[in-house]
Amino acid sequence: GEDVEQSLFLSVREGDSSVINCTYTDSSSTYLYWYKQEPGAGLQLLTYIFSNMDMKQDQRLTVLLNKKDKHLSLRIADTQTGDSAIYFCAETLGGSYIPTFGRGTSLIVHP
Amino acid sequence: NAGVTQTPKFRVLKTGQSMTLLCAQDMNHEYMYWYRQDPGMGLRLIHYSVGEGTTAKGEVPDGYNVSRLKKQNFLLGLESAAPSQTSVYFCASSYNGEPLHFGNGTRLTVT
């Protein structure tokens, strides 16, 4: 099976909160990342969290890490149409510089 | 500061033709990567390099070759293109485990 799993689609109404979920399987992960890909562009780093942290907040973004369940989530408050994109979860194992990416979640924001 | 630059942005090849994709980074990063992105498949690592003069195989290396003669450049070659290599190719670079910086991609169609 995949090392990093995400649901493929999420649809939300403008102004609502979005929660994108990710599960990973390797307990030795050291870094966990969220990247955003807009149409026709490359991936841009949104935020990342060290595996010894539970939460990280950055303006409208909140990352939660549940190490026991190997679950990572990205919450976007007050979702806007400009947030429509594909969001990738990724992990890097200790001692490795090769991240493993999930398949990406397409976030669709409608009025 | 250009970051990661990929050329060309688009290319159409006929089956059996060859081509080279160029990736250049100006951040003095040691690590460089080539990924391909296909619908529903996420990002798959083709080859990567941990420093000038070194290369290594990723998840899907068959049909591709790479070279890293200079630290700032990472070339991806297709010796005999096949329709299965129709994809969007992304180059990325990183510094010793820090998050990856991506280029904007090359869209390749093989007919």
Side-chain angles (χ1 to χ4, degrees), chain A residues 1 10 12 16-17 19 22 37 44 46 49 55 58 62 68 76 79 83-84 86 89 92-94 96 102 108 110-111:
Chain A
L10 176 66
V12 300
D16 288 349
S17 292
V19 180
C22 169
Q37 184 184 30
Q44 286 186 302
L46 266 185
I49 190 168
M55 186 182 88
D58 182 5
T62 302
K68 175 176 172 291
I76 305 173
T79 311
D83 294 322
S84 293
I86 303 175
C89 171
T92 303
L93 305 182
S96 169
I108 301 164
H110 54 90

Side-chain angles (χ1 to χ4, degrees), chain A residues 16-54:
Chain A
D16 288 349
S17 292
S18 307
V19 180
I20 302 171
N21 295 302
C22 169
T23 57
Y24 59 99
T25 58
D26 201 307
S27 59
S28 65
S29 296
T30 54
Y31 292 87
L32 293 137
Y33 308 94
W34 284 105
Y35 286 85
K36 177 184 180 182
Q37 184 184 30
E38 296 183 353
L43 280 69
Q44 286 186 302
L45 180 71
L46 266 185
T47 186
Y48 64 98
I49 190 168
F50 295 104
S51 59
N52 61 358
M53 297 170 63
D54 296 322

